[in-house]
């Protein structure tokens, strides 16, 4: 049996110390579980990835056309990005990540999905603040530093725990009609915005989405939680930019 716990790396960041850990839980068998923590708060665990995968699947199944250009906000452990690349219609993927150590863990393949992301020429890591890039004017840039003002077929967001449970207070204004509307400038007509949440459907956020987008829906993603011996759930919001 390998080590039951290992802290692979810890680095300071602008919003606190971020760490990458690997553990094994004997009751769950010979399985390495990877975790990312910000201070004392869990950001991501490879134990529970169903909703991160569903974020890509639901969002990209709703996207129209071929040769899709896609932005993923938040790298995490790479599950949303890898799920996006499994869609053959995706021709380009930009993964925007604020925390440079998280990008480095993938580039150095300290996490299991780093190798898969690095090997796919469609993928590109962007070191930046998703929430600032989302509301940037076309002249000032946007998500792609190599092509200011460009538009995408889909934007998939997985950063905050929910529109109310934020990793940092600075992102609170993003979940308003004004800033959602600014982000929508970076979507092509009928492009898709989809977002992961750890909480149940938020009526206020749904109203904000409907003020900007059409075809707004909230999907419940269930999965078994062995720690609680019952089903748990996350949600995925999806919305379409109007013509």
């Amino acid at each position: 049996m390998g080590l039951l716990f290992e802290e692979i790396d810890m680095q300071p960041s602008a919003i606190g110390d971020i760490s990458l850990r690997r553990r094994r839980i004997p009751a769950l068998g010979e399985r390495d579980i990877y975790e990312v923590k910000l201070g004392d708060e869990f950001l991501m665990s490879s134990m529970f990835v169903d909703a991160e995968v569903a974020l890509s699947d639901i969002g990209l199944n709703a996207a129209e056309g071929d040769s899709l250009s896609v932005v993923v906000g938040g790298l995490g452990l790479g599950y949303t990005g890898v799920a996006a690349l499994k869609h053959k219609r995706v021709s380009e993927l930009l993964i925007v990540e604020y925390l440079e150590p998280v990008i480095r863990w993938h580039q150095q393949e300290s996490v299991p999905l780093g190798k898969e992301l690095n090997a796919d020429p469609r993928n590109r890591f962007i070191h930046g603040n998703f929430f600032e890039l989302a509301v940037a004017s076309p002249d000032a840039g946007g998500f792609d530093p190599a092509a200011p003002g460009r538009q995408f077929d889909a934007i998939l967001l997985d950063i905050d725990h929910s529109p109310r449970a934020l990793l940092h207070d600075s992102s609170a204004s993003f979940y308003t009609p004004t800033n959602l509307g600014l982000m929508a400038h970076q979507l092509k007509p009928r492009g898709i915005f989809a977002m992961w949440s750890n909480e149940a459907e938020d009526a206020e956020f749904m109203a904000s989405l409907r003020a900007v987008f059409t075809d707004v829906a909230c999907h419940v993603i269930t999965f078994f939680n062995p720690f609680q011996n019952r089903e748990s759930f996350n949600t995925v919001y999806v919305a379409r930019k109007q013509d």
Side-chain angles (χ1 to χ4, degrees), residues 26-98:
L28 299 179
E30 297 292 307
R31 173 186 178 185
D32 286 328
I33 300 167
Y34 287 80
E35 302 167 338
V36 178
K37 291 187 70 178
L38 182 63
D40 293 328
E41 184 174 8
F42 281 94
L43 297 188
M44 180 71 188
S45 170
S46 62
M47 275 287 296
F48 308 111
V49 301
D50 301 67
E52 283 77 8
V53 172
L55 171 60
S56 280
D57 290 344
I58 292 171
L60 296 179
N61 286 339
E64 299 175 349
D66 297 314
S67 298
L68 301 178
S69 56
V70 180
V71 172
V72 166
L75 175 54
L77 289 171
Y79 286 91
T80 299
V82 166
L85 291 170
K86 293 187 185 301
H87 288 253
K88 301 303 182 185
R89 292 188 299 147
V90 171
S91 63
E92 182 183 17
L93 177 68
L94 275 61
I95 303 180
V96 179
E97 174 56 52
Y98 179 55

Side-chain angles (χ1 to χ4, degrees), residues 98-119:
Y98 179 55
L99 299 172
E100 190 275 336
V102 178
I103 295 177
R104 188 168 64 252
W105 294 337
H106 287 77
Q107 290 174 329
Q108 295 177 349
E109 300 180 3
S110 300
V111 291
L113 297 186
K115 184 175 182 179
E116 199 165 343
L117 289 171
N118 292 335

Side-chain angles (χ1 to χ4, degrees), residues 13 19 31 35 38 47 57 108 110 134 142 160 164 172 180 185 192 198 203 205 207 211 213 220 238 240 243:
S13 81
S19 59
R31 173 186 178 185
E35 302 167 338
L38 182 63
M47 275 287 296
D57 290 344
Q108 295 177 349
S110 300
D160 286 326
R164 311 294 154 223
L180 290 169
H185 291 314
I192 293 296
N198 189 49
F205 182 58
F213 299 97
V220 176
V238 63
R240 187 183 307 278
D243 292 332

Side-chain angles (χ1 to χ4, degrees), residues 104-144:
R104 188 168 64 252
W105 294 337
H106 287 77
Q107 290 174 329
Q108 295 177 349
E109 300 180 3
S110 300
V111 291
L113 297 186
K115 184 175 182 179
E116 199 165 343
L117 289 171
N118 292 335
D120 197 313
R122 296 174 293 168
N123 177 58
R124 181 161 34 122
F125 298 119
I126 304 294
H127 181 210
N129 185 322
F130 174 92
F131 299 108
E132 293 179 359
L133 298 178
V135 301
S137 67
D139 291 341
F143 291 121
D144 188 350

Side-chain angles (χ1 to χ4, degrees), residues 41-44 159-163 165-167 196-199:
E41 184 174 8
F42 281 94
L43 297 188
M44 180 71 188
I159 296 179
D160 286 326
H161 294 308
S162 79
L166 311 176
L167 295 185
W196 171 90
S197 173
N198 189 49
E199 298 181 358

